[in-house]
Amino acid sequence: MTGGPEGTFTALRSQLQDAAATFADGPGALEGILRGIVDDVERAVSEPLEIFPVCHHSPASAIAMARRLREKQPKTVYLELCEDMAPLLTELRNCRLPVAVQSFASEIDGFPADWAPLSVVAPVTEASAEYQAIAYALDTPGVELVLVDRSSDHVFQWETGPDGEADSEGDGDPDAPEATEQTALHGDAVGVEIGDLRPRFAELEEHLLRHGRVRHWSEWWHQYVELPLGDSDHDTYRQVMLLIGSLFRRLAPGDPGRVRVDEDRERYMWTRMREHLAATATDPADCLYVCGAFHAASRVAEFGVHGSDTFTISPPSGTRWRHGLIPSSHGAIEAQFGLAAGSVSIAATEWAKNVRRTGVRPFRLEGQAGAKSAKPRKALATTASAPPAPPADRLTGFLRRPPALDALDEAELLGWSVEIVRAARRNGYLASTADAIAVFETSILLAGMRDRAKPTPYDFQDAAVTCIEKDAVPGRRDVGRLVEIMMGGDRVGRVGYDALPPLARDVHDRLAPLELRLQQRGVQRALLDIASRPELGHCSDLLWMLRRLLPRGAARPIMGERRLGERPIQESWDLALGTHERALIELGYEGVSIEQVLEQRLRRVAYAPQATAAQVLEAVEDAMLYLRSRRLADELGTRALEVLASERSVDGAPEVLRRIRRLLAHYRTCEPVLPPWIESFVKTGYAHYCTLLPTAFTDDDATVRQVAAMLGFLFGMEGLALSLGCDRTQLELALAQSHPAEPARTALLWAAQTHLGTLPRPVLRARCAELLGNPLVLPAYPRYLSGFVHALEPVPGLADFVVEAVSNAFALLPDAVLLPWLPTLITTLRAGGTELAPLLIREAGRVFPARLAELDAWVPPWRLPREPQRVPVESAASAAGALPLLVAHPATCDALAELLGCDGTWESAGARSSGAALLSRYPQTARALETLLAVS
């Protein structure tokens, strides 16, 4: 409906037309905007179903709502809130506000996978009009509360930007400070707020702030809307809010995506309301529609009870949504919806003042924390409602009336000044009575400079910062933050025990033996003497699972650790479950017990498309460590075997080696036999890494540490693999086919060949000496040493040679080569320090002298002259007894002579002398051969 010549706002329309002609130099676009605003207001106030426009967290809206509900007593309240959140609203009585109603989905269907988890929150504070409507509807018999806004599923169906990412209705201030513990209570959730009322036209907001002499939008709204409407009558409040909503709507930039979402939400809400009216045969005169002022001035065809029914609501996706209540705070609301810091706290203070000044009795849910017990409200009378009176024009008088001058409340301002000085002194400022006087006078001065009759909290904050803080902040909090705390602080809500999901209640019940107030915010110390109180062992198990699932800091062990096969004796924990209550509640959306959630997450990790063998082995270890579930560990172990067989890279080789070693040690000490999956894993891994070894030695993407981990798996698991049917020839062929060009990998190959016996130590020592003696290779020698250090992973028996090689490097390398290499050595030892550094330190301690005085005369063992060994008489006699055997089998003797580097040929006459020479040169071998074959 648009106003005609005889409309309610004819006089106002004529005045605005004259103003447009005067200021715009003739009718045009400005006249159209101004006349359109009046048409929007008249259309909304003439609607048979009363529309109540609100602004989110506005004390003026809350006072007007409470007053109107007691006057009208509607039988049906339509509320702009996600319709699937309705079952949660009754649980608000078990909470301490502010809290947020949340819709959560961890497993999504119909949305991109990288959006998970999906979360939608709607914060509720006591100083908000929507809470007044909820409290009235839930505690008044015969009143029905109907949520009519799009569902949480439709929020993500519609809120998609051009890049495919979900947009947030409350994007936050880009210049806001970094999120703190309180401001992060909502996480990354998309915020749904009732009454989104802020200019979307940046130039308009800048113009309002500049001419209003304020710093930010929250201060402008407080000065020019909150204070004038704080004690206004219902019609004036309603028409002014509609005027503001229409103005911001018509001056909003033409963003097609944003406009489409806004209009679709309005079509959705009016469609739902008409469906409910038709289904219940409710008289629109007995209803109240609570929505944001921006949506109240809608111009869509579906607007009103007589609007068109052309809008089709799309079906929901296959995503399964969970709902619950999470704690919120003033800071979290400000951060999520782009409000100025402290504005919600100031709004709460203003709400309390308005309640005292106006005498309006606000609604509060019965049984809510801090609420007085009240008698049950009587049901509404079922009398026929009188037809509504035609709306009167309140806008003309309101716009003509000069602002009411509110006299200075000196007592209040003096109290603020004294209190801020006291708070400043507690926080390290050198404030005195003179500063209190200066703050008082400066507040009045600033208010006068800004054309205000009395200082606002924002004027007082500026004055306090100017007079007290100056240029230094001695403590954690600046003066601006102290003023916010003094005005009400960052009040943090709490979800009551009865409103928690079953999992969260189960956690609190199982941790009851700790005798702590777990819902209290902050850190609490828990001491568990499990040896004397075995029942605390169950608390320990639960705490370790919470540490695995909750954010860092929710459950932090101070003393004690959880290892495979070990049982705790004493533990100490720092618990902050009350601070991280949101995360605990969101766990409750995933299952009914903490064990179920942990099992689901481990399976999700193991069966992810991009899962690696190392990640699956970690899930196996966690299943044994936290759940002690052999069934789940065997299932995930089988999955690890499948993933390993399909991998074509060696990126996870170090982690695979570390975890399979730990699991093998556990099963060997705690189980009578190894599980079948771990035997198959070792067997498959042996063949798998043998296949990848030649490529890894030459692949630029594979690091030396990864190749060393592969060799560590092959050498460390070799005994078990061979007993399971693997062939060592496969490993020998893999090493024979490896031809690395990089020095570190070459050294790693030499170490592997030494372990297999194909490269004797004297030859390896000679190669290193040759490298040190070659001036062209000398700059690359540290890289060879890095390879030898990494070789301690697969060949720990090479520790003495590595100590020798490093010592020779320190002794012979020039400083220009040695000093740049030292950071590389330190980095290598730090990366593998848990396994490598102790080997080198232990070996160096054995080789080097223990006292400083002995160092000057000390000669390294590898520099001592090597005397030729002489064969004792009895050894020669024993060797002579073995000659017939060697003559009878010359091929064996030839192979042994070639392996030991002994040259010579067989001659019929000199066979005995050749064998004797061989036996004389290696008497120990002859004795061992004699003992083995029992030759006398």
Side-chain angles (χ1 to χ4, degrees):
M1 170 183 176
T2 58
E6 304 298 330
T8 304
F9 298 94
T10 302
L12 178 61
R13 188 179 288 105
S14 300
Q15 293 177 11
L16 292 178
Q17 184 177 1
D18 295 339
T22 301
F23 292 104
D25 195 19
L30 179 60
E31 179 186 359
I33 293 176
L34 295 179
R35 291 176 61 88
I37 292 174
V38 179
D39 293 342
D40 292 341
V41 174
E42 187 167 13
R43 182 188 189 194
V45 298
S46 303
E47 174 60 33
L49 195 161
E50 181 178 334
I51 303 173
F52 194 96
V54 300
C55 176
H56 196 44
H57 306 304
S58 167
S61 294
I63 288 291
M65 173 63 72
R67 182 189 294 115
R68 183 56 179 167
L69 289 173
R70 294 194 181 278
E71 293 174 355
K72 182 180 177 66
Q73 295 189 356
K75 298 178 182 179
T76 301
V77 176
Y78 297 113
L79 186 61
E80 179 193 326
L81 193 63
C82 295
E83 57 185 0
D84 56 328
M85 294 180 175
L88 266 297
L89 297 182
T90 185
E91 295 294 339
L92 288 174
R93 68 179 74 251
N94 298 318
C95 304
R96 185 180 67 191
L97 300 181
V99 297
V101 188
Q102 182 185 37
S103 298
F104 187 88
S106 56
E107 298 179 0
I108 61 178
D109 181 9
F111 302 106
D114 57 350
W115 285 15
L118 304 180
S119 181
V120 179
V121 296
V124 179
T125 63
E126 189 173 355
S128 58
E130 60 269 22
Y131 175 73
Q132 295 298 308
I134 293 171
Y136 163 78
L138 295 183
D139 282 351
T140 305
V143 175
E144 185 178 8
L145 178 65
V146 183
L147 306 186
V148 294
D149 201 0
R150 55 185 174 164
S151 66
S152 304
D153 197 90
H154 287 89
V155 169
F156 286 94
Q157 286 188 31
W158 297 357
E159 297 292 328
T160 53
D163 56 352
E165 295 293 336
D167 292 334
S168 171
E169 291 190 25
D171 293 329
D173 187 357
D175 299 327
E178 188 175 346
T180 62
E181 184 180 279
Q182 284 76 21
T183 61
L185 286 174
H186 297 172
D188 297 327
V190 173
V192 177
E193 67 174 48
I194 301 173
D196 178 15
L197 199 56
R198 183 169 182 169
R200 297 181 183 175
F201 190 42
E203 286 77 3
L204 173 61
E205 181 171 342
E206 181 183 356
H207 177 83
L208 294 175
L209 298 183
R210 183 173 65 254
H211 289 274
R213 300 180 182 180
V214 294
R215 294 170 300 171
H216 44 70
W217 174 251
S218 299
E219 185 177 1
W220 186 93
W221 181 267
H222 176 272
Q223 177 66 26
Y224 296 101
V225 179
E226 285 294 332
L227 296 180
L229 293 181
D231 53 357
S232 62
D233 62 89
H234 169 65
D235 288 337
T236 302
Y237 164 84
R238 187 182 175 200
Q239 293 174 20
V240 170
M241 292 293 287
L242 289 170
L243 174 71
I244 296 173
S246 177
L247 174 67
F248 291 168
R249 188 184 187 100
R250 288 183 176 271
L251 295 182
D255 182 0
R258 188 72 179 269
V259 172
R260 176 186 57 81
V261 171
D262 289 333
E263 293 182 348
D264 283 349
R265 288 182 65 185
E266 293 154 6
R267 296 184 179 101
Y268 193 107
M269 290 187 284
W270 280 109
T271 300
R272 288 298 193 210
M273 284 187 283
R274 282 195 298 272
E275 290 175 354
H276 182 268
L277 291 172
T280 59
T282 304
D283 186 356
D286 295 331
C287 302
L288 188 67
Y289 171 35
V290 183
C291 68
F294 189 90
H295 297 295
S298 174
R299 301 189 300 272
V300 297
E302 289 80 2
F303 179 88
V305 295
H306 302 297
S308 64
D309 289 320
T310 57
F311 182 69
T312 302
I313 298 176
S314 60
S317 67
T319 300
R320 184 180 180 184
W321 290 89
R322 308 275 187 172
H323 300 85
L325 297 172
I326 62 173
S328 183
S329 70
H330 293 168
I333 297 171
E334 292 160 358
Q336 185 160 4
F337 299 117
L339 305 176
S343 59
V344 178
S345 298
I346 293 176
T349 303
E350 192 71 22
W351 156 258
K353 290 173 58 178
N354 287 348
V355 170
R356 292 193 301 268
R357 187 178 72 250
T358 61
V360 174
R361 282 192 305 121
F363 292 93
R364 197 169 192 185
L365 286 170
E366 185 179 353
Q368 189 137 31
K372 298 179 181 179
S373 58
K375 297 180 180 179
R377 297 173 190 162
K378 298 180 180 180
L380 300 180
T382 56
T383 57
S385 56
D393 179 10
R394 302 286 186 180
L395 273 178
T396 303
F398 181 83
L399 296 176
R400 284 181 174 180
R401 185 174 66 243
L405 297 179
D406 195 356
L408 172 64
D409 190 345
E410 292 190 1
E412 180 187 54
L413 185 57
L414 279 174
W416 287 356
S417 302
V418 172
E419 183 62 30
I420 190 58
V421 169
R422 183 182 294 116
R425 291 181 64 85
R426 286 197 303 264
N427 284 269
Y429 291 90
L430 298 178
S432 63
T433 305
D435 293 304
I437 298 174
V439 171
F440 178 87
E441 297 294 343
T442 306
S443 299
I444 299 176
L445 177 63
L446 288 176
M449 294 173 61
R450 296 166 178 173
D451 295 333
R452 299 172 187 172
K454 62 174 293 186
T456 66
Y458 298 99
D459 298 325
F460 172 75
Q461 185 179 41
D462 292 342
V465 172
T466 302
C467 299
I468 298 177
E469 184 173 304
K470 301 177 177 68
D471 59 348
V473 179
R476 290 190 305 114
R477 298 185 177 99
D478 56 21
V479 174
R481 176 62 181 150
L482 293 178
V483 173
E484 295 172 13
I485 295 174
M486 191 188 71
M487 291 293 176
D490 188 10
R491 188 175 305 169
V492 180
R494 186 174 66 190
V495 180
Y497 175 85
D498 294 330
L500 293 173
L503 180 144
R505 294 200 300 268
D506 179 62
V507 168
H508 286 283
D509 294 341
R510 292 165 63 179
L511 294 180
L514 299 180
E515 299 178 356
L516 298 175
R517 293 188 294 176
L518 297 176
Q519 287 192 290
Q520 177 179 329
R521 295 183 62 81
V523 179
Q524 303 178 72
R525 179 64 56 88
L527 303 176
L528 285 72
D529 188 1
I530 303 173
S532 60
R533 296 181 60 188
E535 68 273 10
L536 294 181
H538 300 292
C539 296
S540 172
D541 296 338
L542 179 58
L543 289 175
W544 283 107
M545 286 186 282
L546 290 175
R547 179 179 179 269
R548 171 66 171 74
L549 295 172
L550 292 180
R552 184 179 181 182
R556 185 168 63 93
I558 303 301
M559 180 184 68
E561 57 183 352
R562 178 60 63 99
R563 291 183 177 180
L564 288 173
E566 295 184 1
R567 293 286 181 175
I569 299 176
Q570 286 184 335
E571 291 180 352
S572 176
W573 290 80
D574 275 352
L575 301 180
L577 297 183
T579 304
H580 297 273
E581 193 172 27
R582 177 184 67 86
L584 181 62
I585 291 173
E586 289 180 353
L587 286 182
Y589 302 151
E590 302 182 42
V592 296
S593 69
I594 202 76
E595 289 82 3
Q596 180 188 6
V597 173
L598 180 55
E599 182 173 339
Q600 289 176 353
R601 290 199 179 183
L602 292 178
R603 280 202 173 93
R604 193 179 306 139
V605 170
Y607 289 94
Q610 305 299 326
T612 63
Q615 292 172 342
V616 183
L617 286 179
E618 181 182 6
V620 174
E621 188 173 347
D622 288 345
M624 297 292 296
L625 197 62
Y626 300 115
L627 299 176
R628 295 191 177 94
S629 173
R630 176 67 181 271
R631 169 193 55 81
L632 180 61
D634 290 348
E635 176 188 340
L636 299 182
T638 305
R639 169 63 179 171
L641 175 62
E642 299 172 358
V643 174
L644 179 68
S646 62
E647 286 185 345
R648 292 297 175 263
S649 68
V650 296
D651 296 342
E655 190 69 13
V656 169
L657 174 63
R658 185 171 65 88
R659 296 195 178 277
I660 199 64
R661 277 178 175 172
R662 195 153 52 215
L663 289 170
L664 265 176
H666 168 69
Y667 283 120
R668 282 172 172 167
T669 54
C670 300
E671 301 287 344
V673 294
L674 292 177
W677 76 265
I678 206 167
E679 293 182 348
S680 301
F681 189 91
V682 171
K683 185 177 179 181
T684 303
Y686 189 86
H688 179 70
Y689 285 135
C690 281
T691 304
L692 297 179
L693 191 59
T695 305
F697 264 112
T698 58
D699 188 2
D700 293 336
D701 294 333
T703 64
V704 179
R705 184 167 178 260
Q706 293 168 354
V707 179
M710 294 174 61
L711 292 173
F713 186 96
L714 295 172
F715 294 162
M717 309 293 165
E718 186 177 21
L720 179 58
L722 295 180
S723 67
L724 296 174
C726 294
D727 190 358
R728 197 186 195 197
T729 306
Q730 188 176 6
L731 175 58
E732 295 174 349
L733 290 175
L735 287 176
Q737 296 172 359
S738 301
H739 304 288
E742 200 266 333
R745 303 186 196 205
T746 301
L748 195 60
L749 178 61
W750 291 349
Q753 292 172 345
T754 302
H755 177 77
L756 291 181
T758 58
L759 182 64
R761 280 218 181 180
V763 179
L764 180 60
R765 185 175 288 108
R767 289 184 179 180
C768 292
E770 182 182 353
L771 292 174
L772 279 173
N774 190 341
L776 297 178
V777 184
L778 204 59
Y781 186 74
R783 297 164 65 187
Y784 286 93
L785 289 181
S786 298
F788 283 128
V789 172
H790 280 292
L792 293 177
E793 176 75 57
V795 191
L798 209 62
D800 57 339
F801 176 80
V802 176
V803 171
E804 174 185 345
V806 173
S807 300
N808 289 334
F810 276 91
L812 301 176
L813 285 178
D815 291 345
V817 177
L818 180 63
L819 294 180
W821 168 67
L822 289 180
T824 304
L825 175 63
I826 295 173
T827 305
T828 302
L829 292 176
R830 178 176 294 179
T834 306
E835 297 85 7
L836 305 183
L839 292 174
L840 288 177
I841 295 172
R842 191 182 307 116
E843 185 63 26
R846 185 185 66 83
V847 172
F848 287 92
R851 298 179 180 276
L852 184 61
E854 303 173 1
L855 187 60
D856 294 336
W858 175 74
V859 178
W862 53 86
R863 292 190 180 180
L864 293 175
R866 300 179 182 272
E867 298 181 358
Q869 297 181 351
R870 297 184 178 180
V871 183
V873 178
E874 59 273 14
S875 298
S878 300
L883 285 177
L885 181 63
L886 295 176
V887 174
H889 302 281
T892 303
C893 191
D894 286 338
L896 186 60
E898 181 180 357
L899 178 62
L900 298 177
C902 182
D903 299 330
T905 57
W906 285 97
E907 297 179 4
S908 57
R912 176 179 292 273
S913 61
S914 299
L918 182 63
L919 295 175
S920 299
R921 185 172 180 180
Y922 300 101
Q924 294 179 355
T925 305
R927 286 197 299 272
L929 187 60
E930 176 186 5
T931 304
L932 180 62
L933 300 176
V935 178
S936 58

